[in-house]
Amino acid sequence: MFFQHLVNALSVGSVYALLAIGYNMVYGILEKLNFAHGDVYAVGCFVTYTLMLWQIHPVLAILAGMLVGFVLNLIVERFAYRPVRNAGRIVPTISAVGIAYIMRNFIQAIWGAETYPFSLGFELKSINIGGVVIGTLQLYILAIAIILMVLISMALKYTKWGQSIICISQSIPTAALMGIPVNKVIAMVYGIGAALGVIGGILFCSYYQFIFMGIGFSYGTMKAWMAAIWGGIGSLKGSIIGAMVLGLSEIFVSAYVSSAYKDVFVWLIFIVFILIRPKGMFPAEIAEKI
Amino acid sequence: MKIQKNYVNIIKVIFAVAVLLIPFYITNTYALKIICNVMLYSIIALSVNLIVGFCGQLDFGRAAFAGLGAYFSAVTFNRLGLPFIVCFLGGAIFAALIGCLLGILCRYTSFDYLTLITIGFSEICRKFFINWRPITNGAFGLSTKRPSFFGVTLASHQSMFYFSLILLILCYIVIRRITRSKVGRAFKAIRDDSIAASYAGIDVPNYKVLCFVIGSFFTGLAGAAMVHYTMFTAPTNYTLDESIIMLQMAILGGLGSLPGSIVGAAILIIAPEISRSFYNYRLLFMGIMMVVLMLFAPKGIMGDGGLKDQLVAFVKKNWSKRARKGEHAGV
Amino acid sequence: MSEKKELLKVSNITKQFGGLKAVNDVSFTMYEGEILGIIGPNGAGKTTFFNVISGFDSPTQGKVIFCGTDMTGKNITQYCLKGMARTFQNIRVFNEMSVLDNIMVGMHNVIKTNIWNISMNTKKEKQEEAQAVKNAHEILQYLGIDEFAQESAGNLSYGYQRKVEIGRALASNPKLILLDEPSAGMNDSETIELMGLIRGIMKRGVNIIVIEHNMQFMMNLCDRIAVLNFGTLLTVDTPEKVKNNEEVIQAYLGREEEEEDHAS
């Protein structure tokens, strides 16, 4: 039983990992609380869902959903985040919360508040190893998360865009002085973050086989945020491992401690952890300046 | 100058009398109920303002503290049969104690983590409201009775109006005094620059704790008053959405402006009652309102340089222009 | 010269960030009634040194003794309670508070009140608050910025914000004020005014340590000057002796002269 829980925990973790990578793109680089992350990509997921209902091939539908998420976040960044980028901490955060509500109600207005069954369409197999059942989808999800992590790390390291993103994460004014088109790059980061979020969201939906308007916030933003902090803000490797830890704590608490108080314990473990290690498991070195 | 001041005073007195006499000319219980709600939510908005507007700590968990006050007061009142005032203040003190715990947890954390921890804290509280059935009666909710003082029960809406009004005035006066004192200055200093604040001799971590204690006390007080007014409560009243509505009251009114909090609470309570469609989409409207406010008037309606100030400046400018034009025309 | 009283004693202070020793084995003693200057090329560890002796960073090694008490490892608040105040290289005023409130924040530990007195608005609270306002206005008048008392500090010009910072430091009745590059961004006449201001503060019985780049300013102002270079203390001496110290000229002044030669 223990190993089955372990496998389940790791598969839940890999779903969270996908969400966390997209979240950590924006959070790690711009240090802005992106409250709207989940709700923006949820729109993309619903577009994918609708396209698939229209018998469009899942891959095309996912690409379309990613495009929608990308464009939507570009628009949101332009009109709700960019004007308040330098206005302290509270103002951009509240603006993002506002966007989250707008997106969620937008979904509710178009698709309604019901929960719909969701499936990517291909058959879900599972492998049985000594009584432990491993779903193939879970393996795919983990593989996709790792591939994305590697791709993004490489892109950050070896492309001009990646380097300018890293410059911006160090200091926006300096980056601007070096001739980096700051606004464009930041918009791109938001767009790519949302597109990655759509992939994560769709795999999340296919793992749990449902889709509804709430996937964005409580299952998206919050989990991704927690995973990103577990791992260390701005660390892509950290966000995968953080997501695994989050998955582990959720599954094992509900299996061995209490399922009714699952969230309570997961939160408590999390709060204790960030009080002990505020910089996460793989911290980035940033010194406070006077 | 002096005459103008007299006018202002007269208007103030008329306003005060008008407010005092509300139950005599508004006899519609539905309207009275809304007004009571506005007053009780104003207390919560004031406490949010103290934490977010004055101390700069973004708190997404206020509803949970209202819930703590409400459940504590209702449960002790129902079960132990203690005098109302004891349960009522007990609810506020209980909320303040939990606020102290939260403050101690958060005193050294950064802005982001504080926000996250307050969300987590409110989720934890809500799970307890739902799952601790023997005490809270779970998702079915909890009934309780109206407040009573020395055997007199405040059964009518009129008496509840005066109860809420007195409570609001007391809370307002105390919070106003705090914000204008050494403590309030320390809060504002922490908000503007915590490093400079600590070099001014302010014990920043402890003042953050103090801020959460004071804020939670008032939130709990209002929560307890609400549960005895509506005589019923359920965990759905204490969700994250509720916390954000409370936060939005303070933001809409203007962070850092105490009268603003009352204005904000009034708008956000009354508007959904005016039209049903507004009620259904209140979260959408709230989202739009949040973004628009942050873009054009981050200080809300009554804050420094907020909508009111902008409007006054606009009117003054156009007024003087028109006056000048008039002069030219006259010449 | 009667016996000088020790105010601040720093012994063998080292502050290490990773592999970098930003401050390396610095010791000296500061006496009451003197203006001590700290100079050094960029990156010499001046601000780090300030952070260590004011409690922002605790030293990796060594001791800070302030007013006869070992303050090593104590936090900023405890330093402030002992009578230390400082200003910052990049101005840190409370932008959204009025100038008067900025000064009154400095009086935080001077005002003794509690939450009960505040909520009840007792007579004691009223008197204390009125006294604080009066004192704050006095400080503002002394600095010549009383006319801006109700203005938001963030709206003031750079020079005035400096004064607000100094006023805030003064308001706490400190024994020692640390000034971190107070004349940065000021023109000559403002600098001269600042010098007069600092001397005036000295006369109020406050001791001063100042970090500056402006050599002339330091030579005219300070009683003694400490020279830091790559985290190590080269010398602590009177301006004349520092000027003629070989090591100092090589490390710091010399290089400047070379640059001037290049320029000419």
Side-chain angles (χ1 to χ4, degrees), chain A residues 27 79 89 101 105 217 225 229 260 263 267 270 275 278 288, chain B residues 105 112-113 116 120 127 131 195 240-241 244 284 287 295:
Chain A
Y27 189 42
F79 292 104
R89 301 308 303 266
Y101 277 107
N105 282 277
F217 189 77
W225 190 7
I229 289 177
D263 289 354
W267 271 110
F270 178 73
L275 292 176
E288 195 168 1
Chain B
L105 288 178
D112 302 359
Y113 286 10
L116 189 55
K127 289 287 169 188
N131 288 320
I195 288 175
L240 182 62
D241 283 346
I244 289 178
L284 176 64
L295 291 182

PDB file of all heavy atoms in Angstrom, chain A residues 27 79 89 101 105 217 225 229 260 263 267 270 275 278 288, chain B residues 105 112-113 116 120 127 131 195 240-241 244 284 287 295:
ATOM      1  N   TYR A  27       6.936  34.348 -11.439  1.00  0.00           N
ATOM      2  CA  TYR A  27       7.200  34.661 -10.033  1.00  0.00           C
ATOM      3  C   TYR A  27       8.695  34.773  -9.776  1.00  0.00           C
ATOM      4  O   TYR A  27       9.161  35.692  -9.111  1.00  0.00           O
ATOM      5  CB  TYR A  27       6.588  33.564  -9.170  1.00  0.00           C
ATOM      6  CG  TYR A  27       6.594  33.845  -7.695  1.00  0.00           C
ATOM      7  CD1 TYR A  27       6.269  35.102  -7.211  1.00  0.00           C
ATOM      8  CD2 TYR A  27       6.901  32.850  -6.787  1.00  0.00           C
ATOM      9  CE1 TYR A  27       6.258  35.342  -5.865  1.00  0.00           C
ATOM     10  CE2 TYR A  27       6.882  33.096  -5.430  1.00  0.00           C
ATOM     11  CZ  TYR A  27       6.565  34.340  -4.975  1.00  0.00           C
ATOM     12  OH  TYR A  27       6.560  34.585  -3.631  1.00  0.00           O
ATOM     13  N   PHE A  79      -2.312  45.813 -20.016  1.00  0.00           N
ATOM     14  CA  PHE A  79      -3.293  46.761 -19.483  1.00  0.00           C
ATOM     15  C   PHE A  79      -3.431  46.733 -17.973  1.00  0.00           C
ATOM     16  O   PHE A  79      -3.883  47.698 -17.379  1.00  0.00           O
ATOM     17  CB  PHE A  79      -4.657  46.549 -20.135  1.00  0.00           C
ATOM     18  CG  PHE A  79      -4.656  46.929 -21.571  1.00  0.00           C
ATOM     19  CD1 PHE A  79      -4.638  45.971 -22.560  1.00  0.00           C
ATOM     20  CD2 PHE A  79      -4.607  48.270 -21.939  1.00  0.00           C
ATOM     21  CE1 PHE A  79      -4.602  46.329 -23.895  1.00  0.00           C
ATOM     22  CE2 PHE A  79      -4.563  48.637 -23.262  1.00  0.00           C
ATOM     23  CZ  PHE A  79      -4.558  47.668 -24.245  1.00  0.00           C
ATOM     24  N   ARG A  89       4.237  46.961  -3.671  1.00  0.00           N
ATOM     25  CA  ARG A  89       3.863  45.553  -3.687  1.00  0.00           C
ATOM     26  C   ARG A  89       2.359  45.362  -3.727  1.00  0.00           C
ATOM     27  O   ARG A  89       1.842  44.481  -4.389  1.00  0.00           O
ATOM     28  CB  ARG A  89       4.409  44.826  -2.446  1.00  0.00           C
ATOM     29  CG  ARG A  89       5.902  44.847  -2.269  1.00  0.00           C
ATOM     30  CD  ARG A  89       6.646  44.375  -3.500  1.00  0.00           C
ATOM     31  NE  ARG A  89       6.300  43.057  -3.957  1.00  0.00           N
ATOM     32  CZ  ARG A  89       6.946  41.959  -3.616  1.00  0.00           C
ATOM     33  NH1 ARG A  89       7.963  42.015  -2.817  1.00  0.00           N
ATOM     34  NH2 ARG A  89       6.568  40.798  -4.098  1.00  0.00           N
ATOM     35  N   TYR A 101     -10.400  37.450 -10.761  1.00  0.00           N
ATOM     36  CA  TYR A 101     -11.868  37.429 -10.669  1.00  0.00           C
ATOM     37  C   TYR A 101     -12.513  37.640 -12.024  1.00  0.00           C
ATOM     38  O   TYR A 101     -13.508  37.005 -12.353  1.00  0.00           O
ATOM     39  CB  TYR A 101     -12.347  38.488  -9.674  1.00  0.00           C
ATOM     40  CG  TYR A 101     -12.283  37.996  -8.263  1.00  0.00           C
ATOM     41  CD1 TYR A 101     -11.329  38.460  -7.388  1.00  0.00           C
ATOM     42  CD2 TYR A 101     -13.160  37.011  -7.834  1.00  0.00           C
ATOM     43  CE1 TYR A 101     -11.249  37.987  -6.100  1.00  0.00           C
ATOM     44  CE2 TYR A 101     -13.089  36.525  -6.550  1.00  0.00           C
ATOM     45  CZ  TYR A 101     -12.135  37.015  -5.691  1.00  0.00           C
ATOM     46  OH  TYR A 101     -12.058  36.530  -4.426  1.00  0.00           O
ATOM     47  N   ASN A 105     -14.956  34.803 -13.706  1.00  0.00           N
ATOM     48  CA  ASN A 105     -16.347  35.108 -14.026  1.00  0.00           C
ATOM     49  C   ASN A 105     -16.603  35.066 -15.515  1.00  0.00           C
ATOM     50  O   ASN A 105     -17.721  34.790 -15.951  1.00  0.00           O
ATOM     51  CB  ASN A 105     -16.725  36.462 -13.441  1.00  0.00           C
ATOM     52  CG  ASN A 105     -16.987  36.359 -11.961  1.00  0.00           C
ATOM     53  OD1 ASN A 105     -18.069  35.985 -11.546  1.00  0.00           O
ATOM     54  ND2 ASN A 105     -15.965  36.620 -11.159  1.00  0.00           N
ATOM     55  N   PHE A 217      -7.814  28.724  -9.739  1.00  0.00           N
ATOM     56  CA  PHE A 217      -7.263  29.298  -8.512  1.00  0.00           C
ATOM     57  C   PHE A 217      -6.835  28.249  -7.494  1.00  0.00           C
ATOM     58  O   PHE A 217      -5.660  28.063  -7.242  1.00  0.00           O
ATOM     59  CB  PHE A 217      -8.235  30.288  -7.880  1.00  0.00           C
ATOM     60  CG  PHE A 217      -7.586  31.035  -6.754  1.00  0.00           C
ATOM     61  CD1 PHE A 217      -6.700  32.056  -7.029  1.00  0.00           C
ATOM     62  CD2 PHE A 217      -7.816  30.681  -5.437  1.00  0.00           C
ATOM     63  CE1 PHE A 217      -6.046  32.717  -6.004  1.00  0.00           C
ATOM     64  CE2 PHE A 217      -7.185  31.341  -4.409  1.00  0.00           C
ATOM     65  CZ  PHE A 217      -6.292  32.364  -4.708  1.00  0.00           C
ATOM     66  N   TRP A 225       1.966  27.992  -6.603  1.00  0.00           N
ATOM     67  CA  TRP A 225       2.665  28.943  -5.744  1.00  0.00           C
ATOM     68  C   TRP A 225       3.372  28.207  -4.602  1.00  0.00           C
ATOM     69  O   TRP A 225       4.550  28.427  -4.300  1.00  0.00           O
ATOM     70  CB  TRP A 225       1.640  29.945  -5.212  1.00  0.00           C
ATOM     71  CG  TRP A 225       2.183  31.122  -4.497  1.00  0.00           C
ATOM     72  CD1 TRP A 225       3.487  31.473  -4.368  1.00  0.00           C
ATOM     73  CD2 TRP A 225       1.428  32.110  -3.805  1.00  0.00           C
ATOM     74  NE1 TRP A 225       3.589  32.628  -3.639  1.00  0.00           N
ATOM     75  CE2 TRP A 225       2.344  33.040  -3.284  1.00  0.00           C
ATOM     76  CE3 TRP A 225       0.063  32.309  -3.582  1.00  0.00           C
ATOM     77  CZ2 TRP A 225       1.940  34.145  -2.555  1.00  0.00           C
ATOM     78  CZ3 TRP A 225      -0.328  33.411  -2.854  1.00  0.00           C
ATOM     79  CH2 TRP A 225       0.595  34.323  -2.349  1.00  0.00           C
ATOM     80  N   ILE A 229       7.418  27.800  -3.946  1.00  0.00           N
ATOM     81  CA  ILE A 229       8.101  28.227  -2.720  1.00  0.00           C
ATOM     82  C   ILE A 229       8.810  27.051  -2.046  1.00  0.00           C
ATOM     83  O   ILE A 229       9.927  27.189  -1.560  1.00  0.00           O
ATOM     84  CB  ILE A 229       7.111  28.919  -1.772  1.00  0.00           C
ATOM     85  CG1 ILE A 229       6.738  30.272  -2.367  1.00  0.00           C
ATOM     86  CG2 ILE A 229       7.718  29.115  -0.401  1.00  0.00           C
ATOM     87  CD1 ILE A 229       5.725  31.031  -1.576  1.00  0.00           C
ATOM     88  N   ALA A 260     -10.070  14.341   6.344  1.00  0.00           N
ATOM     89  CA  ALA A 260     -10.891  15.536   6.527  1.00  0.00           C
ATOM     90  C   ALA A 260     -10.007  16.757   6.756  1.00  0.00           C
ATOM     91  O   ALA A 260     -10.286  17.846   6.279  1.00  0.00           O
ATOM     92  CB  ALA A 260     -11.839  15.355   7.707  1.00  0.00           C
ATOM     93  N   ASP A 263      -6.053  19.342   4.180  1.00  0.00           N
ATOM     94  CA  ASP A 263      -5.559  20.686   3.845  1.00  0.00           C
ATOM     95  C   ASP A 263      -4.922  21.360   5.051  1.00  0.00           C
ATOM     96  O   ASP A 263      -3.931  22.060   4.925  1.00  0.00           O
ATOM     97  CB  ASP A 263      -6.700  21.560   3.316  1.00  0.00           C
ATOM     98  CG  ASP A 263      -7.120  21.111   1.939  1.00  0.00           C
ATOM     99  OD1 ASP A 263      -6.442  20.218   1.396  1.00  0.00           O
ATOM    100  OD2 ASP A 263      -8.119  21.642   1.413  1.00  0.00           O
ATOM    101  N   TRP A 267      -1.128  22.598   4.894  1.00  0.00           N
ATOM    102  CA  TRP A 267      -0.799  24.007   5.134  1.00  0.00           C
ATOM    103  C   TRP A 267       0.144  24.154   6.312  1.00  0.00           C
ATOM    104  O   TRP A 267       1.087  24.941   6.277  1.00  0.00           O
ATOM    105  CB  TRP A 267      -2.064  24.826   5.379  1.00  0.00           C
ATOM    106  CG  TRP A 267      -2.671  25.368   4.143  1.00  0.00           C
ATOM    107  CD1 TRP A 267      -3.839  24.971   3.566  1.00  0.00           C
ATOM    108  CD2 TRP A 267      -2.151  26.407   3.310  1.00  0.00           C
ATOM    109  NE1 TRP A 267      -4.065  25.693   2.438  1.00  0.00           N
ATOM    110  CE2 TRP A 267      -3.061  26.582   2.251  1.00  0.00           C
ATOM    111  CE3 TRP A 267      -1.017  27.203   3.349  1.00  0.00           C
ATOM    112  CZ2 TRP A 267      -2.870  27.522   1.247  1.00  0.00           C
ATOM    113  CZ3 TRP A 267      -0.823  28.143   2.353  1.00  0.00           C
ATOM    114  CH2 TRP A 267      -1.741  28.288   1.315  1.00  0.00           C
ATOM    115  N   PHE A 270       3.527  23.176   5.400  1.00  0.00           N
ATOM    116  CA  PHE A 270       4.077  24.200   4.506  1.00  0.00           C
ATOM    117  C   PHE A 270       4.501  25.441   5.284  1.00  0.00           C
ATOM    118  O   PHE A 270       5.601  25.974   5.096  1.00  0.00           O
ATOM    119  CB  PHE A 270       3.014  24.558   3.463  1.00  0.00           C
ATOM    120  CG  PHE A 270       3.441  25.630   2.525  1.00  0.00           C
ATOM    121  CD1 PHE A 270       4.375  25.373   1.545  1.00  0.00           C
ATOM    122  CD2 PHE A 270       2.915  26.903   2.618  1.00  0.00           C
ATOM    123  CE1 PHE A 270       4.775  26.355   0.679  1.00  0.00           C
ATOM    124  CE2 PHE A 270       3.315  27.898   1.756  1.00  0.00           C
ATOM    125  CZ  PHE A 270       4.243  27.613   0.782  1.00  0.00           C
ATOM    126  N   LEU A 275       8.777  28.880   7.415  1.00  0.00           N
ATOM    127  CA  LEU A 275       9.318  29.644   8.529  1.00  0.00           C
ATOM    128  C   LEU A 275      10.745  29.202   8.827  1.00  0.00           C
ATOM    129  O   LEU A 275      11.592  30.000   9.213  1.00  0.00           O
ATOM    130  CB  LEU A 275       8.443  29.492   9.766  1.00  0.00           C
ATOM    131  CG  LEU A 275       7.069  30.151   9.642  1.00  0.00           C
ATOM    132  CD1 LEU A 275       6.239  29.872  10.872  1.00  0.00           C
ATOM    133  CD2 LEU A 275       7.205  31.648   9.413  1.00  0.00           C
ATOM    134  N   PRO A 278      12.955  29.991   4.694  1.00  0.00           N
ATOM    135  CA  PRO A 278      12.169  30.934   3.890  1.00  0.00           C
ATOM    136  C   PRO A 278      12.590  30.975   2.434  1.00  0.00           C
ATOM    137  O   PRO A 278      11.819  31.419   1.595  1.00  0.00           O
ATOM    138  CB  PRO A 278      12.393  32.276   4.579  1.00  0.00           C
ATOM    139  CG  PRO A 278      13.425  32.059   5.593  1.00  0.00           C
ATOM    140  CD  PRO A 278      13.640  30.621   5.807  1.00  0.00           C
ATOM    141  N   GLU A 288      20.105  41.582   0.668  1.00  0.00           N
ATOM    142  CA  GLU A 288      19.296  42.779   0.844  1.00  0.00           C
ATOM    143  C   GLU A 288      20.203  43.997   0.835  1.00  0.00           C
ATOM    144  O   GLU A 288      21.277  43.991   1.419  1.00  0.00           O
ATOM    145  CB  GLU A 288      18.542  42.708   2.155  1.00  0.00           C
ATOM    146  CG  GLU A 288      17.441  43.715   2.226  1.00  0.00           C
ATOM    147  CD  GLU A 288      16.522  43.439   3.403  1.00  0.00           C
ATOM    148  OE1 GLU A 288      16.761  42.483   4.145  1.00  0.00           O
ATOM    149  OE2 GLU A 288      15.571  44.187   3.555  1.00  0.00           O
TER     150      GLU A 288
ATOM    151  N   LEU B 105       3.914  34.157  13.790  1.00  0.00           N
ATOM    152  CA  LEU B 105       4.419  33.344  12.682  1.00  0.00           C
ATOM    153  C   LEU B 105       4.973  34.220  11.563  1.00  0.00           C
ATOM    154  O   LEU B 105       5.962  33.876  10.928  1.00  0.00           O
ATOM    155  CB  LEU B 105       3.303  32.460  12.104  1.00  0.00           C
ATOM    156  CG  LEU B 105       2.830  31.291  12.933  1.00  0.00           C
ATOM    157  CD1 LEU B 105       1.706  30.570  12.211  1.00  0.00           C
ATOM    158  CD2 LEU B 105       3.979  30.327  13.172  1.00  0.00           C
ATOM    159  N   ASP B 112       5.437  38.478   0.363  1.00  0.00           N
ATOM    160  CA  ASP B 112       4.768  37.390  -0.357  1.00  0.00           C
ATOM    161  C   ASP B 112       4.329  36.287   0.587  1.00  0.00           C
ATOM    162  O   ASP B 112       3.221  35.777   0.500  1.00  0.00           O
ATOM    163  CB  ASP B 112       5.713  36.742  -1.365  1.00  0.00           C
ATOM    164  CG  ASP B 112       6.229  37.725  -2.359  1.00  0.00           C
ATOM    165  OD1 ASP B 112       5.839  38.899  -2.270  1.00  0.00           O
ATOM    166  OD2 ASP B 112       7.022  37.313  -3.219  1.00  0.00           O
ATOM    167  N   TYR B 113       5.241  35.936   1.498  1.00  0.00           N
ATOM    168  CA  TYR B 113       4.949  34.814   2.377  1.00  0.00           C
ATOM    169  C   TYR B 113       3.840  35.176   3.336  1.00  0.00           C
ATOM    170  O   TYR B 113       3.016  34.336   3.672  1.00  0.00           O
ATOM    171  CB  TYR B 113       6.199  34.415   3.149  1.00  0.00           C
ATOM    172  CG  TYR B 113       7.201  33.687   2.303  1.00  0.00           C
ATOM    173  CD1 TYR B 113       7.054  33.614   0.935  1.00  0.00           C
ATOM    174  CD2 TYR B 113       8.295  33.062   2.871  1.00  0.00           C
ATOM    175  CE1 TYR B 113       7.965  32.956   0.155  1.00  0.00           C
ATOM    176  CE2 TYR B 113       9.217  32.392   2.088  1.00  0.00           C
ATOM    177  CZ  TYR B 113       9.050  32.343   0.737  1.00  0.00           C
ATOM    178  OH  TYR B 113       9.950  31.682  -0.028  1.00  0.00           O
ATOM    179  N   LEU B 116       0.684  34.645   1.545  1.00  0.00           N
ATOM    180  CA  LEU B 116       0.405  33.219   1.405  1.00  0.00           C
ATOM    181  C   LEU B 116      -0.012  32.609   2.739  1.00  0.00           C
ATOM    182  O   LEU B 116      -0.957  31.822   2.809  1.00  0.00           O
ATOM    183  CB  LEU B 116       1.651  32.530   0.857  1.00  0.00           C
ATOM    184  CG  LEU B 116       1.504  31.078   0.444  1.00  0.00           C
ATOM    185  CD1 LEU B 116       0.382  30.909  -0.546  1.00  0.00           C
ATOM    186  CD2 LEU B 116       2.796  30.571  -0.153  1.00  0.00           C
ATOM    187  N   GLY B 120      -3.376  30.589   3.786  1.00  0.00           N
ATOM    188  CA  GLY B 120      -3.334  29.266   4.398  1.00  0.00           C
ATOM    189  C   GLY B 120      -4.051  29.244   5.733  1.00  0.00           C
ATOM    190  O   GLY B 120      -4.827  28.334   6.027  1.00  0.00           O
ATOM    191  N   LYS B 127     -11.502  24.992   7.377  1.00  0.00           N
ATOM    192  CA  LYS B 127     -11.597  23.536   7.487  1.00  0.00           C
ATOM    193  C   LYS B 127     -12.069  23.134   8.879  1.00  0.00           C
ATOM    194  O   LYS B 127     -12.834  22.183   9.040  1.00  0.00           O
ATOM    195  CB  LYS B 127     -10.246  22.880   7.185  1.00  0.00           C
ATOM    196  CG  LYS B 127      -9.844  22.959   5.735  1.00  0.00           C
ATOM    197  CD  LYS B 127     -10.672  22.026   4.874  1.00  0.00           C
ATOM    198  CE  LYS B 127     -10.398  22.352   3.424  1.00  0.00           C
ATOM    199  NZ  LYS B 127     -11.249  21.673   2.483  1.00  0.00           N
ATOM    200  N   ASN B 131     -15.214  20.917   9.589  1.00  0.00           N
ATOM    201  CA  ASN B 131     -15.000  19.543  10.030  1.00  0.00           C
ATOM    202  C   ASN B 131     -15.176  19.300  11.520  1.00  0.00           C
ATOM    203  O   ASN B 131     -15.347  18.162  11.940  1.00  0.00           O
ATOM    204  CB  ASN B 131     -13.596  19.088   9.628  1.00  0.00           C
ATOM    205  CG  ASN B 131     -13.508  18.861   8.143  1.00  0.00           C
ATOM    206  OD1 ASN B 131     -14.430  18.330   7.535  1.00  0.00           O
ATOM    207  ND2 ASN B 131     -12.428  19.305   7.543  1.00  0.00           N
ATOM    208  N   ILE B 195      13.128  49.111   6.932  1.00  0.00           N
ATOM    209  CA  ILE B 195      14.511  49.215   7.418  1.00  0.00           C
ATOM    210  C   ILE B 195      14.714  50.553   8.126  1.00  0.00           C
ATOM    211  O   ILE B 195      15.236  50.612   9.242  1.00  0.00           O
ATOM    212  CB  ILE B 195      15.505  49.041   6.254  1.00  0.00           C
ATOM    213  CG1 ILE B 195      15.495  47.572   5.814  1.00  0.00           C
ATOM    214  CG2 ILE B 195      16.902  49.440   6.669  1.00  0.00           C
ATOM    215  CD1 ILE B 195      16.329  47.279   4.618  1.00  0.00           C
ATOM    216  N   LEU B 240     -12.264  32.601   1.142  1.00  0.00           N
ATOM    217  CA  LEU B 240     -11.277  33.549   0.641  1.00  0.00           C
ATOM    218  C   LEU B 240     -11.967  34.701  -0.096  1.00  0.00           C
ATOM    219  O   LEU B 240     -11.565  35.856   0.014  1.00  0.00           O
ATOM    220  CB  LEU B 240     -10.301  32.820  -0.296  1.00  0.00           C
ATOM    221  CG  LEU B 240      -9.175  33.651  -0.860  1.00  0.00           C
ATOM    222  CD1 LEU B 240      -8.292  34.166   0.252  1.00  0.00           C
ATOM    223  CD2 LEU B 240      -8.348  32.839  -1.834  1.00  0.00           C
ATOM    224  N   ASP B 241     -13.042  34.369  -0.842  1.00  0.00           N
ATOM    225  CA  ASP B 241     -13.779  35.421  -1.553  1.00  0.00           C
ATOM    226  C   ASP B 241     -14.288  36.478  -0.583  1.00  0.00           C
ATOM    227  O   ASP B 241     -14.212  37.676  -0.844  1.00  0.00           O
ATOM    228  CB  ASP B 241     -14.971  34.824  -2.315  1.00  0.00           C
ATOM    229  CG  ASP B 241     -14.527  34.125  -3.583  1.00  0.00           C
ATOM    230  OD1 ASP B 241     -13.371  34.338  -3.995  1.00  0.00           O
ATOM    231  OD2 ASP B 241     -15.331  33.365  -4.143  1.00  0.00           O
ATOM    232  N   ILE B 244     -11.593  38.706   0.466  1.00  0.00           N
ATOM    233  CA  ILE B 244     -11.199  39.665  -0.558  1.00  0.00           C
ATOM    234  C   ILE B 244     -12.238  40.764  -0.681  1.00  0.00           C
ATOM    235  O   ILE B 244     -11.898  41.920  -0.934  1.00  0.00           O
ATOM    236  CB  ILE B 244     -10.915  38.924  -1.883  1.00  0.00           C
ATOM    237  CG1 ILE B 244      -9.606  38.143  -1.696  1.00  0.00           C
ATOM    238  CG2 ILE B 244     -10.785  39.884  -3.044  1.00  0.00           C
ATOM    239  CD1 ILE B 244      -9.187  37.320  -2.837  1.00  0.00           C
ATOM    240  N   LEU B 284     -17.349  39.553 -10.494  1.00  0.00           N
ATOM    241  CA  LEU B 284     -16.840  40.110 -11.753  1.00  0.00           C
ATOM    242  C   LEU B 284     -16.693  41.625 -11.628  1.00  0.00           C
ATOM    243  O   LEU B 284     -15.644  42.187 -11.956  1.00  0.00           O
ATOM    244  CB  LEU B 284     -17.788  39.769 -12.902  1.00  0.00           C
ATOM    245  CG  LEU B 284     -17.418  40.376 -14.244  1.00  0.00           C
ATOM    246  CD1 LEU B 284     -16.082  39.837 -14.724  1.00  0.00           C
ATOM    247  CD2 LEU B 284     -18.489  40.083 -15.281  1.00  0.00           C
ATOM    248  N   GLY B 287     -13.808  42.425  -9.516  1.00  0.00           N
ATOM    249  CA  GLY B 287     -12.541  42.271 -10.220  1.00  0.00           C
ATOM    250  C   GLY B 287     -12.249  43.470 -11.098  1.00  0.00           C
ATOM    251  O   GLY B 287     -11.155  44.045 -11.051  1.00  0.00           O
ATOM    252  N   LEU B 295      -5.359  50.996 -11.421  1.00  0.00           N
ATOM    253  CA  LEU B 295      -4.757  51.729 -12.532  1.00  0.00           C
ATOM    254  C   LEU B 295      -4.911  53.231 -12.354  1.00  0.00           C
ATOM    255  O   LEU B 295      -3.989  53.995 -12.616  1.00  0.00           O
ATOM    256  CB  LEU B 295      -5.402  51.311 -13.852  1.00  0.00           C
ATOM    257  CG  LEU B 295      -5.103  49.886 -14.311  1.00  0.00           C
ATOM    258  CD1 LEU B 295      -5.764  49.611 -15.636  1.00  0.00           C
ATOM    259  CD2 LEU B 295      -3.610  49.656 -14.412  1.00  0.00           C
TER     260      LEU B 295
END
